[in-house]
Amino acid sequence: MSRSLRAACLAAILLPLTCQTALADVAGNSPNDVRYHGGDEIILQGFHWNVVREAPNDWYNILRDKASTVSADGFSAIWMPVPWRDFSSWSDPAKGTSGGGEGYFWHDFNKNGRYGSDAQLKQAAAALNGAGVKVLYDVVPNHMNRGYPDKEINFPAGQGYWRNDCADPGNYANDCDDGDRFIGGESDLNTGHPDVFALFRNEFGNLRGNYGAGGFRFDFVRGYAPERVDSWMTAAHDDAFCVGELWKSPSEYQSWQWQNTATWQEVIKDWSDRSDCTVFDFALKERMQNGSIADWRYGLNGNPDPRWREVAVTFVDNHDTGYSPGQNGGQHHWPLQDGLIRQAYAYILTTPGTPVVYWAHMYDWGYGDFIRQLIQIRRTAGVRADSPISFHTGYSGLVATISGTSQTLVIALNSNLGNPSQVASGTFSEAMNGSSGAIRVWRTGAGSNDGSGDTGGLVQVGFTCNNGVTQPGDSVYAVGGVAELGNWSPASAVRLTDTSAYPTWKGSIGLPAGQTVEWKCIIRNEADASAVRQWQPGGNNSVQVAAGASTSGAF
C-alpha cells in the first residue's frame, strides 16, 4: 500500500469498512454440483444456546457491532440463529437443561423475536454482508409450535398439513413424512403438501431478497426429504451455500433399512448426494467423541475420495452438542472433553472440509487467538474443502499431509513425529507448536515477491510495540505490507498478545523468509476493526525476515 493510500485510509478512519480488505468470495458449486460456494468458506456459528437469555432482544445488535471483527478474524460466513419468532419455554430438571425462544419451536415467520427486532436483523445482516461475511440462516422446515395462539401462519387440522393428519402416523407405510422420519407428530409439518412446500420456498426467497441470505443451514433433516431441500434451493437460492444437520447413528435406523448396517460416512453422504448440499460431518464428530485421535482420519473430511471430502462441514461443538455460557450450561448433549478442544480445532482448520467455529469457543472461552492463528495458517496455505490429504502410520497420534493451493501442511497431533521431512518432501518451517508439543503444524514456503527468486517458507519473527498505552477494549496490532500482516489493512492486522511488560506489547508472527517487510504499530479497537485509535508516528519499521529475527516500533 502506498503512503498516499495509507494517508487516505487514516483520513477515513471514522467511516466503517472504508479501508477494509474483505476476503475474496469465490462463488460456485463443486465439480459434482454440491452447493459449497467455492469450497473456501470458514464459518462462524454466530450464537450459542443461551444468547436469548444472556442478551435478550439485543443479539442482532451485538452481531451488527461485531461484523468487522468477525471478518478480520478470517471468517467468510456466519451461521445465524433461526430468524422466526419463538415464544416457547421449557426445562428438564432431570437433565439440568432448559430453553425456549431459540427459534427451534417457532411461532411464525415474523422476525420480531427474542434475538431482536426485524429492523435490527436487517441491520446486522447488512453489516455482516458489508464486511464480506456471508449470512447463512438456520431454518426449521419440519416442525413449529402448533398450539400457540395468534399465529400469522395457520394450517387447519385434517387437511394433510400435519403428520398426525395421516391415518396412521406411527406406521412407516402410512406416514406422510417424507425423507428420514421425524420423531414426533403433533408439531410436525408435512412438507410434501404443496401449500407447505410453497410457504417455505417463498420464505427462503424472502430471506434472500430482504434479509441478505447467502445460504441456509437446514435443522434436523428428518421429516423432509433431501430432494425437497434441493427443490427449495433450486427455486429460492440455487447459487447459495447450504448444509444439513443429519444427527443420527446408523443403528437408529430400522433393521430393514440399508442405513442400519452402513457407516456414518455413508449415511450422511447419501443425504448430501440427494440434496446437493453439504452436510455436517457427524462421522468425524463421532470419532472425536468415541475414538482415539488417530481415528479422526475416519471422518468424512478424511475420505480418500475428494467427492466425499467436499461435502463435509466439520465442527468441534455447537449450540446442541456443547456447553454454552449462562443458564445450566446450555444443551451439552454431546460435548467434546476440554482436553481435546485445541487438537480438534487444529485438525478441522488444517484439513479438508468446510470448518465451523463455535461462538463460545471463539469469543467467550479464551480460544480466540489460537483459532485466529489456525485460520491464518489455513488461508495462507489455501486449504479447501476438497484439498488432498494423506495420513501417515507408524507414528503415535495423528500425522497427516494436506496439499493446499499455495502450501503443503504437515500436522502432528499427540504424535512422536520428529520432523516433517520424515513424511513429506520439501522445505518446511514450523507454523505452530502448541499445547506443549501436542499440536504441531509445519508448512512449505509461500513464495517471495521481492524479485530475488527466493521461495523460502514462513519463519517466526518477534514483534515489539513500545509505549502502547490503551483504553479498555483496545489492543496493539502489527500491520504491514505482506498478507501475513494484513497488506496494510487495519482490519486484518495481527494482535500482539504478550502484555507481561505493559505498555510494551509483544508477539511472534510468521513472515515469508528472505523478504524485507515494512510495518507499523497501531492501536485498534478489538470489537470494531474500523476503529483505529492511533498509528505509530514517523516512518515505517523494517525487518529482514530470517529465523530468529526481531523488530520493534514505538508510539
Side-chain angles (χ1 to χ4, degrees):
M1 180 183 282
S2 69
R3 291 182 184 272
S4 59
L5 183 53
R6 289 201 297 273
C9 285
L10 284 170
I13 257 175
L14 297 180
L15 297 177
L17 306 176
T18 298
C19 295
Q20 178 168 323
T21 303
L23 294 167
D25 186 28
V26 181
N29 293 358
S30 80
N32 304 293
D33 208 30
V34 177
R35 297 179 181 92
Y36 73 162
H37 216 273
D40 61 349
E41 302 289 356
I42 301 177
I43 302 172
L44 171 69
Q45 180 176 5
F47 63 100
H48 57 74
W49 184 255
N50 280 327
V51 297
V52 293
R53 286 161 287 280
E54 294 293 296
N57 306 308
D58 196 41
W59 191 248
Y60 293 146
N61 291 335
I62 291 172
L63 293 180
R64 177 199 63 204
D65 295 342
K66 210 172 182 69
S68 56
T69 297
V70 170
S71 176
D73 285 340
F75 296 103
S76 61
I78 184 168
W79 164 12
M80 297 282 280
V82 181
W84 309 324
R85 61 179 177 172
D86 176 351
F87 299 129
S88 66
S89 180
W90 60 270
S91 64
D92 187 342
K95 295 182 179 179
T97 56
S98 59
E102 301 85 10
Y104 297 102
F105 204 40
W106 53 279
H107 184 65
D108 51 33
F109 291 158
N110 189 301
K111 310 299 187 296
N112 294 293
R114 293 181 182 175
Y115 295 103
S117 69
D118 184 292
Q120 290 166 346
L121 174 58
K122 288 180 176 177
Q123 291 169 4
L128 288 159
N129 279 316
V133 181
K134 190 178 292 87
V135 172
L136 311 175
Y137 286 108
D138 204 332
V139 292
V140 189
N142 53 3
H143 62 291
M144 64 185 295
N145 190 345
R146 181 176 181 181
Y148 206 93
D150 302 322
K151 290 181 179 296
E152 295 178 3
I153 299 171
N154 286 292
F155 288 129
Q159 298 184 28
Y161 296 110
W162 303 93
R163 177 175 169 233
N164 65 357
D165 289 340
C166 296
D168 183 4
N171 187 316
Y172 272 84
N174 296 302
D175 196 330
C176 61
D177 270 346
D178 58 15
D180 188 9
R181 186 171 169 226
F182 187 48
I183 58 175
E186 173 62 26
S187 63
D188 184 2
L189 286 160
N190 173 18
T191 57
H193 193 289
D195 291 348
V196 178
F197 174 86
L199 178 83
F200 285 105
R201 179 200 61 209
N202 295 341
E203 171 60 5
F204 298 153
N206 176 45
L207 289 171
R208 176 186 187 178
N210 297 309
Y211 296 88
F216 304 103
R217 180 259 187 188
F218 287 88
D219 176 70
F220 200 61
V221 289
R222 305 191 200 180
Y224 57 110
E227 290 84 0
R228 199 160 304 287
V229 172
D230 184 37
S231 295
W232 278 322
M233 293 301 302
T234 299
H237 208 345
D238 198 32
D239 58 349
F241 184 91
C242 54
V243 58
E245 181 204 22
L246 179 53
W247 182 1
K248 184 174 181 177
S249 73
S251 62
E252 291 180 70
Y253 289 86
Q254 299 297 308
S255 60
W256 46 266
Q257 294 179 284
W258 70 266
Q259 293 96 330
N260 180 266
T261 55
T263 67
W264 285 76
Q265 285 196 35
E266 288 168 337
V267 171
I268 59 179
K269 176 63 161 54
D270 175 70
W271 187 91
S272 175
D273 288 344
R274 293 159 59 196
S275 66
D276 281 339
C277 290
T278 63
V279 64
F280 282 105
D281 194 350
F282 275 96
L284 174 58
K285 175 63 171 172
E286 188 276 332
R287 288 291 79 202
M288 287 180 172
Q289 297 297 129
N290 300 322
S292 68
I293 281 184
D295 291 333
W296 293 1
R297 72 188 66 189
Y298 300 117
L300 188 64
N301 76 317
N303 192 286
D305 190 335
R307 294 174 300 174
W308 292 55
R309 297 194 298 270
E310 71 185 14
V311 308
V313 173
T314 57
F315 66 102
V316 175
D317 266 319
N318 59 38
H319 67 294
D320 280 329
T321 68
Y323 288 89
S324 295
Q327 182 175 309
N328 295 320
Q331 297 258 75
H332 53 84
H333 289 315
W334 213 21
L336 187 64
Q337 59 177 284
D338 288 348
L340 290 177
I341 289 174
R342 289 180 182 271
Q343 287 97 322
Y345 274 115
Y347 184 67
I348 70 168
L349 286 167
T350 59
T351 57
T354 299
V356 177
V357 173
Y358 183 35
W359 180 280
H361 288 152
M362 186 69 197
Y363 295 121
D364 291 305
W365 291 337
Y367 296 101
D369 288 338
F370 174 74
I371 291 171
R372 288 184 192 95
Q373 186 179 0
L374 286 165
I375 290 174
Q376 183 191 49
I377 291 169
R378 182 183 185 90
R379 290 284 185 205
T380 302
V383 176
R384 295 169 40 84
D386 56 356
S387 289
I389 184 170
S390 57
F391 297 95
H392 307 288
T393 58
Y395 305 93
S396 59
L398 184 146
V399 177
T401 300
I402 304 95
S403 300
T405 57
S406 300
Q407 296 176 335
T408 297
L409 301 180
V410 172
I411 62 169
L413 305 177
N414 289 11
S415 177
N416 61 356
L417 176 72
N419 190 300
S421 62
Q422 295 174 246
V423 296
S425 60
T427 302
F428 287 84
S429 61
E430 189 174 78
M432 173 178 282
N433 189 330
S435 298
S436 301
I439 300 167
R440 289 175 295 159
V441 182
W442 297 270
R443 55 186 164 191
T444 55
S448 172
N449 58 9
D450 63 356
S452 67
D454 181 4
T455 59
L458 300 186
V459 297
Q460 295 298 308
V461 174
F463 281 73
T464 300
C465 289
N466 295 303
N467 201 32
V469 179
T470 57
Q471 300 298 317
D474 293 343
S475 285
V476 172
Y477 294 72
V479 64
V482 290
E484 290 76 13
L485 291 174
N487 285 324
W488 290 111
S489 169
S492 300
V494 179
R495 184 156 67 101
L496 304 183
T497 58
D498 181 355
T499 57
S500 57
Y502 180 86
T504 296
W505 298 66
K506 297 180 180 181
S508 180
I509 303 171
L511 297 180
Q515 293 195 36
T516 299
V517 174
E518 293 190 349
W519 70 283
K520 277 193 168 184
C521 306
I522 62 172
I523 296 175
R524 200 201 80 189
N525 186 267
E526 296 170 4
D528 183 355
S530 66
V532 180
R533 312 299 190 197
Q534 184 179 351
W535 283 73
Q536 174 191 331
N540 296 337
N541 311 310
S542 179
V543 60
Q544 179 68 33
V545 180
S550 61
T551 181
S552 64
F555 293 98

